[in-house]
Amino acid sequence: MSKQLISVIVPCYNESEALPYFFEELNKTISAMPEFDFESIYVDDGSKDTTLEVLRAHSAQDNTARYISFSRNFGKESAMLAGMRAAKGDFAVIMDADLQDPPSLLPEMMRLLTEKGCDSVATRRGNRKGEPLLRSIFARCFYGIINRISKVKFVSGARDYRLMTRRMLDSVLSLCEYNRFSKGIFEWVGYKTEWISYANVKRVAGKTKWSFSKLFGYSMECIVAFSTAPLAISSFMGFLFFIISVIGALYIIIRKIVDASSAVSGWASLTVIILFISGIQLLCVGILGQYLAKTYLETKRRPDYIIAETEDKTEGSDK
Ligand code: UDP
Ligand code: MG
């Protein structure tokens, strides 16, 4: 019986410093799992450093390694998608290039997958040690909110490091939305998932690519992609203010009837109310705009990424 194939998918953006360590670690893991065949797919997400050269050299000397290089930086989501589309394995695993997703966990993940008979083994960080305070407060709030307003469950501290079977991978690939948020998609497709947690490790070399504003944008994208609750909340607010205004009007009318000489005074309070209501209105229009903008992007049907260079080892070309 031929061995089963595991596809290792590695998104890389400016990872030339970390990659040599990663190759070494992955090789150790591969030799620890002789019962499987491996292929690795490195996706260069428009790196500005020498990542592409490193990947070219690596794939030239390692027959099981392939690379895909994007024409510019399309983001990690696109890089993961390209890798998953290229994967030929019976199993696929996504790993960061900076060793924050230790390849040494793979044998354990594979054991769990077979033992529990599930379709996916996912990882989460046991702690947020070494993370800036603001970032971890923000992350906690985000998971609190999204789990309240979305039907799909999001696990706090979940990483993209995940092993899955071919049928789960095919299901993930069958979703063809443009605004991708993989953590949600993996949950949305269902299947039984086992979670393992491990201590947060520092990246081996290089710098993180996620600024606070990039993370903030990413989480907003997630909310729009997996929940329509903000739209419902804004309609509810509209209704609430309508009720309040009816009560206010009734109050003024009744007061006038009871005491004809009373006049409602106070332009300051009036100004505050007008500002408040118009602020809420703008907020709601903004929320609506977010959904409209996403719909607009979806209807354009642009590709998720553009591949500038790759090599196809099956054709026998050795470029
Ligand atoms: N990455 C990518 N495209 C990007 C940003 C990041 O492919 O636009 C890759 C990066 O090379 C790494 C992984 O995604 O392999 C995680 O990125 P990083 O380590 O910077 O994020 P962090 O671990 O700090 O959340
Ligand atoms: Mg990292």
Side-chain angles (χ1 to χ4, degrees):
M1 201 176 82
S2 69
K3 291 192 216 170
Q4 286 188 302
L5 178 68
I6 302 179
S7 304
V8 180
I9 298 157
V10 192
C12 311
Y13 178 51
N14 295 346
E15 297 288 6
S16 58
E17 289 172 45
L19 276 171
Y21 298 101
F22 180 83
F23 297 148
E24 201 184 311
E25 278 301 308
L26 183 64
N27 278 338
K28 276 188 213 158
T29 305
I30 291 176
S31 22
M33 299 173 79
E35 65 278 30
F36 290 99
D37 275 334
F38 277 84
E39 66 164 0
S40 44
I41 301 154
Y42 296 90
V43 186
D44 164 37
D45 185 11
S47 300
K48 293 180 183 69
D49 65 354
T50 54
T51 299
L52 181 56
E53 283 80 25
V54 174
L55 292 181
R56 266 194 212 124
H58 180 66
S59 84
Q61 50 113 354
D62 183 343
N63 238 334
T64 63
R66 288 185 283 151
Y67 71 89
I68 295 167
S69 180
F70 287 173
S71 58
R72 65 170 171 84
N73 180 243
F74 281 91
K76 187 181 177 186
E77 285 292 339
S78 303
M80 291 195 292
L81 180 64
M84 287 192 284
R85 282 186 181 151
K88 300 193 179 112
D90 303 290
F91 302 96
V93 58
I94 302 168
M95 279 181 205
D96 285 2
D98 58 4
L99 290 181
Q100 281 187 309
D101 299 336
S104 54
L105 277 179
L106 197 57
E108 167 73 8
M109 289 162 80
M110 201 59 197
R111 191 186 58 76
L112 260 179
L113 191 90
T114 354
E115 235 168 51
K116 304 262 174 170
C118 49
D119 278 275
S120 158
V121 176
T123 62
R124 54 181 299 197
R125 284 187 294 184
N127 59 34
R128 292 188 169 272
K129 229 168 64 199
E131 196 181 58
L133 185 68
L134 185 66
R135 208 163 138 168
S136 89
I137 293 174
F138 174 77
R140 266 173 234 273
C141 292
F142 167 72
Y143 280 108
I145 293 173
I146 189 78
N147 277 325
R148 217 153 275 159
I149 62 176
S150 159
K151 287 199 187 81
V152 172
K153 278 282 152 274
F154 289 82
V155 176
S156 170
R159 299 204 40 100
D160 290 321
Y161 188 14
R162 183 185 282 263
L163 173 69
M164 60 199 137
T165 56
R166 168 52 60 181
R167 72 169 180 171
M168 173 149 171
L169 182 69
D170 285 342
S171 306
V172 169
L173 289 175
S174 71
L175 268 70
C176 44
E177 58 211 75
Y178 177 75
N179 296 292
R180 291 187 88 83
F181 191 83
S182 292
K183 284 192 180 88
I185 291 176
F186 289 140
E187 293 307 310
W188 188 91
V189 295
Y191 297 112
K192 211 173 130 206
T193 300
E194 279 294 322
W195 286 90
I196 56 174
S197 55
Y198 63 95
N200 200 13
V201 272
K202 280 224 166 81
R203 64 158 42 239
V204 62
K207 282 202 290 283
T208 176
K209 314 302 171 322
W210 292 95
S211 60
F212 186 74
S213 61
K214 222 171 157 186
L215 270 180
F216 187 78
Y218 191 56
S219 41
M220 286 302 123
E221 221 154 80
C222 167
I223 291 177
V224 175
F226 279 93
S227 166
T228 49
L231 290 174
I233 293 169
S234 51
S235 321
F236 173 75
M237 275 198 288
F239 183 69
L240 189 72
F241 285 116
F242 170 70
I243 298 290
I244 293 174
S245 72
V246 169
I247 295 172
L250 283 177
Y251 170 73
I252 293 169
I253 293 169
I254 292 168
R255 228 174 89 166
K256 195 78 186 166
I257 293 170
V258 173
D259 177 9
S261 65
S262 81
V264 182
S265 64
W267 65 269
S269 51
L270 208 62
T271 314
V272 170
I273 291 171
I274 291 173
L275 279 180
F276 179 69
I277 305 287
S278 47
I280 296 281
Q281 251 168 13
L282 283 179
L283 177 79
C284 295
V285 174
I287 291 173
L288 199 65
Q290 286 291 326
Y291 285 88
L292 194 66
K294 293 294 174 213
T295 317
Y296 174 58
L297 285 175
E298 292 286 349
T299 52
K300 282 209 247 187
R301 300 230 140 270
R302 286 192 178 162
D304 297 270
Y305 48 82
I306 289 171
I307 295 176
E309 180 184 329
T310 183
E311 89 290 54
D312 197 345
K313 294 206 161 149
T314 51
E315 303 290 341
S317 69
D318 57 359
K319 156 80 191 310

